[in-house]
Amino acid sequence: MNIESLGHLISRMGCCFFLAAMLGACATNSLAIRESEELAGQGRLDEALLRLESALKEKPTNAELRLAVAQTRERIISRQLQQIQEQLKQDNDKRQREEAQRPVIAEKPASTGLDKQINVDFQGATLLQICQVLYRTAGLNFIFDKEVVLDQPISITMRRMPVRDVLALILLSQQLEQRPINADTVMIYPNTPSKARDYQPLTVRSFYLTNIEAKTAASTLRTILKARDLVADEKQNVVVMRDTPEAIRMAEKLLAVHDMPEPEVMLEVEILEVKRSRLQELGLLWPSSLMLTPLASAAGAPVTLKDLTKTTSASLAAAVPTFGINARAENGDTNVLANPRIRTRNREIAKIMIGDRVPNITTTSTSTGFVAESVQYLDIGLKLDVQPTIYLDNEVAIRINLEVSNIAGIVQSKSGTQAFQIGTRNASTVLRLKDGENQVLAGLISDEERSSSNKVPGLGELPILGRLFGSTRDEGQKTELVLSITPRLLRNTKRPGIDQAEFSIGPETAMRPAAPDMSYFTEAVPAPTPPAAPGGVR
C-alpha cells in the first residue's frame, strides 16, 4: 500500500468518526427534547425545564436546545399568569358575594338637636314655655322677632316625632315661620309678607331651557309657584328666578318635566294620478253646404243686375266642401307619481305643493281713463297640507287637506283680458295611525264622456244605413287620484314617572317641599296621670 492510498483511508476514517459524533449529538439532543415534551404533556413543566437545562449545560452552543429552553420558560410564565388571573377573579367574585350578603348600612348624617325624636304633651302651654322645654331637651337656641306673641296658649300631643317636625307644626298652627341660623339656632318671626322679605333668604337661579320657550316657562312658574321675580330672556331662552331656596328647588322639578324635546314624525307620502283618455271617430263626411256665386259677363267686370236676370247654370260658380272619410281611434294612459317625504314637529303644519304657478292678469280702469294691469299667480297642481298630532302611545293623528287643480279652460272678457277657469278636487279628513301603519285614500275620480255626430238630415237617422250618411265622435276621459301616507316616528315624549309628575309644595301661604310621611305618628297618646305641668316632654 502506497502512501497516497494510506492518506485516503485516513481521511475516510476521519469523516466517518465526525459523522458518527454528529449523529450521536443529534440523537442526544432529540432524546432530551423528546423527554421534555413528554413531561410538558403531563403538566410537569418544571421538570421538563430542568431536563433541557441539564442538556444545555453539556452543549451550551446548541441552538435547538436554547430554543426549547426559551419556549418552555415562556410556557411556565404563561401558566403562572393564568393562575394569578384565575385567583384574582375568584377573590373578586367572593368579595362581591360577601358584599351582596352583607346588610347595607347607610351612613347617617351627623344628628343635631332638630333630629332628636321626642314625645310631647302640651296642654295650654305658651310658646315661650315650649321653647324653654325644647332648649333643655334638644339644646336648641331660639331668637324671637319683636312682633311674636309669646303668651298665646298652645295644645299639642305627639309621639316619636323629631324636634324639627314638632317645631314646624307648632309654628304653622300659630302662623309663624322659622329661619335656621345654624344647626342648633332658629329664628322665629310672624308669617307675613313684610317679615318674609326681612328674614327669608333669597336665591337667584338662571334656568337655561332647551325645548320649552322662556315666555311659556315663566308663565308656568308664575302661575303654579307664585314666584316673586321672574325675567324671561327670549333671545337666549333663559328664565331668571329670584325666590327662596325651596321655591327654586320646586321650579327645578317643574321645569325638568316640561322642558322635554318636541316629538317629530317623518311622513312618507305617495301620490298617484292615473289619467285614461279614449277617442273614437268613425263615419263619412258629407258636404254640409252648397254655395252658388254669379259670374260676370265680361272678365274682370262687376256682376250687374242684367247678369243676374240672365243667370244660367253656365254663369254660376258652385262651391262644395270636400267629401271625406273619418276613421280614427286614440287611447291614452298617463300616470303621474310623486313620492315626497317630509319631516315635521308635533302639531305643526307641513305643506307640499307640486305643480305650476300660472299668471292671471287683471285689468283695472279708473274714471279718468287710466288702465292698469296687475298680475296674480295661481297655484295649479297638487297641494297637500298635513298636521300631525303625536300621542304618548306611539300613535299619530294626521289632519289631511288635499287639493288637486287644473286649468279647465280660458275665458276671454270683452276687453280682451283672459282669465283661467280652474277645476279643483278637494278632500279633507283626520286619520289616527300607528307608527309605520299605512293608509290609502282613493276615490277622487273625474269621469267625462262626450259624444257628437255630424249627419245628413233624414238619411242619417236610418237604423243601419244611417252610418253611411254621417260621422260619429265618441270621447271619454277618466282621472283617478290615489294618496298613500305612512307616519314614521323619529322622536316621542316619554311619559314621566309619578315621582317626577307629582310632588307636594306645602300650603299656599308657605310653599316648601314635602315633609317625610308622618302617617304612623297618628297614634293617640293617653293623657298623663296626674295632670302634667303646663309644659312637658319625655
Side-chain angles (χ1 to χ4, degrees):
M1 180 179 298
N2 54 18
I3 298 175
E4 184 177 356
S5 300
L6 182 61
H8 286 295
L9 179 62
I10 294 173
S11 299
R12 290 179 181 177
M13 292 179 62
C15 291
C16 291
F17 284 124
F18 178 75
L19 291 175
M22 291 294 295
L23 292 175
C26 292
T28 305
N29 297 342
S30 301
L31 179 62
I33 294 174
R34 185 168 58 253
E35 291 178 356
S36 65
E37 289 180 352
E38 292 178 357
L39 293 174
Q42 299 175 4
R44 300 156 60 183
L45 293 176
D46 296 335
E47 297 180 8
L49 180 62
L50 292 177
R51 179 69 181 88
L52 291 174
E53 288 179 348
S54 61
L56 185 62
K57 288 181 180 178
E58 297 176 359
K59 300 175 181 178
T61 59
N62 191 282
E64 188 176 3
L65 289 175
R66 287 186 177 183
L67 180 60
V69 170
Q71 292 177 348
T72 306
R73 287 177 178 173
E74 184 177 357
R75 293 176 63 182
I76 293 175
I77 294 174
S78 299
R79 186 184 64 178
Q80 292 176 350
L81 290 176
Q82 185 177 1
Q83 292 176 355
I84 293 173
Q85 290 177 357
E86 291 179 355
Q87 184 65 30
L88 291 176
K89 184 178 179 181
Q90 293 177 0
D91 296 342
N92 189 22
D93 295 341
K94 182 179 179 181
R95 183 169 62 255
Q96 290 180 356
R97 288 194 298 269
E98 292 177 353
E99 291 179 355
Q101 296 175 359
R102 187 183 307 163
V104 179
I105 302 177
E107 294 185 4
K108 296 183 178 179
S111 60
T112 61
L114 292 171
D115 299 322
K116 183 178 180 180
Q117 291 192 356
I118 59 176
N119 300 337
V120 296
D121 182 14
F122 296 108
Q123 303 295 331
T126 63
L127 178 61
L128 181 60
Q129 292 174 339
I130 294 175
C131 291
Q132 289 176 352
V133 172
L134 295 179
Y135 167 74
R136 293 192 298 269
T137 304
L140 296 180
N141 303 317
F142 295 95
I143 303 173
F144 300 97
D145 184 81
K146 63 180 180 179
E147 296 183 5
V148 175
V149 180
L150 300 177
D151 55 355
Q152 189 170 354
I154 302 173
S155 299
I156 184 172
T157 301
M158 287 183 291
R159 295 179 58 188
R160 299 190 304 274
M161 284 283 289
V163 176
R164 185 189 311 276
D165 297 333
V166 173
L167 182 60
L169 292 175
I170 292 174
L171 298 181
L172 182 62
S173 64
Q174 300 300 312
Q175 296 183 353
L176 299 175
E177 191 55 74
Q178 61 176 328
R179 175 189 173 184
I181 303 300
N182 52 41
D184 298 318
T185 305
V186 178
M187 176 74 183
I188 299 177
Y189 58 90
N191 188 9
T192 60
S194 60
K195 293 298 180 180
R197 287 193 295 269
D198 294 338
Y199 291 106
Q200 280 187 349
L202 300 180
T203 302
V204 177
R205 173 70 183 275
S206 298
F207 295 98
Y208 288 85
L209 306 175
T210 305
N211 303 286
I212 189 174
E213 295 183 357
K215 186 177 180 180
T216 304
S219 177
T220 302
L221 296 178
R222 188 177 290 108
T223 303
I224 302 300
L225 300 181
K226 305 296 187 295
R228 296 187 178 186
D229 299 316
L230 284 173
V231 176
D233 187 351
E234 297 183 6
K235 184 177 180 181
Q236 298 185 3
N237 205 32
V238 177
V239 173
V240 182
M241 180 178 178
R242 185 173 73 95
D243 213 315
T244 62
E246 293 82 4
I248 295 294
R249 290 199 298 272
M250 290 184 287
E252 291 178 354
K253 294 183 178 180
L254 194 61
L255 292 179
V257 176
H258 288 267
D259 189 22
M260 301 182 70
E262 282 279 347
E264 291 190 12
V265 63
M266 176 74 77
L267 298 177
E268 298 179 357
V269 183
E270 294 184 4
I271 304 169
L272 178 64
E273 186 178 9
V274 181
K275 188 174 183 180
R276 298 181 179 91
S277 60
R278 174 182 54 83
L279 175 63
Q280 182 176 351
E281 190 174 1
L282 181 63
L284 300 176
L285 291 176
W286 290 91
S288 60
S289 63
L290 175 62
M291 299 182 64
L292 299 176
T293 306
L295 298 177
S297 58
V303 178
T304 62
L305 292 175
K306 183 178 179 180
D307 295 333
L308 293 178
T309 58
K310 296 180 179 180
T311 301
T312 61
S313 60
S315 62
L316 290 176
V320 181
T322 58
F323 174 84
I325 299 176
N326 275 339
R328 185 175 63 163
E330 294 181 0
N331 290 315
D333 193 354
T334 306
N335 294 332
V336 179
L337 178 63
N339 186 16
R341 302 178 64 190
I342 187 167
R343 177 173 178 172
T344 180
R345 294 195 306 174
N346 186 29
R347 302 180 185 275
E348 296 289 341
I349 298 178
K351 297 184 178 182
I352 300 174
M353 169 63 190
I354 302 175
D356 300 321
R357 302 196 69 191
V358 178
N360 188 25
I361 302 175
T362 59
T363 304
T364 305
S365 60
T366 61
S367 58
T368 59
F370 178 75
V371 179
E373 292 184 350
S374 59
V375 180
Q376 295 180 352
Y377 288 91
L378 304 177
D379 293 332
I380 304 299
L382 186 144
K383 291 192 293 185
L384 178 65
D385 296 346
V386 290
Q387 183 180 11
T389 302
I390 304 173
Y391 298 96
L392 294 177
D393 57 354
N394 290 337
E395 291 191 359
V396 183
I398 308 174
R399 183 180 298 274
I400 301 175
N401 293 321
L402 176 64
E403 178 181 344
V404 180
S405 58
N406 62 320
I407 300 177
I410 299 177
V411 180
Q412 189 169 5
S413 63
K414 296 181 180 179
S415 61
T417 304
Q418 292 183 349
F420 296 100
Q421 181 181 354
I422 308 299
T424 60
R425 283 168 290 165
N426 300 301
S428 298
T429 185
V430 178
L431 307 174
R432 180 159 179 169
L433 305 175
K434 296 181 180 180
D435 181 22
E437 182 180 358
N438 178 262
Q439 180 64 45
V440 177
L441 302 178
L444 293 176
I445 301 175
S446 174
D447 195 356
E448 297 181 5
E449 294 287 343
R450 296 178 183 178
S451 179
S452 61
S453 61
N454 187 6
K455 303 177 181 180
V456 176
L459 297 177
E461 303 296 335
L462 295 176
I464 298 176
L465 298 177
R467 290 186 173 272
L468 299 176
F469 300 95
S471 177
T472 304
R473 179 187 178 96
D474 295 328
E475 184 178 1
Q477 186 172 349
K478 184 177 181 180
T479 304
E480 182 178 3
L481 188 66
V482 179
L483 172 66
S484 172
I485 187 168
T486 305
R488 305 283 185 185
L489 278 179
L490 302 179
R491 182 192 302 119
N492 198 2
T493 303
K494 295 183 179 179
R495 189 188 301 272
I498 190 63
D499 55 338
Q500 297 177 338
E502 179 181 353
F503 57 91
S504 175
I505 61 174
E508 187 174 1
T509 56
M511 290 187 294
R512 58 171 59 87
D517 183 15
M518 297 181 292
S519 59
Y520 63 93
F521 293 132
T522 57
E523 180 183 357
V525 180
T529 320
V537 61
R538 297 181 299 279

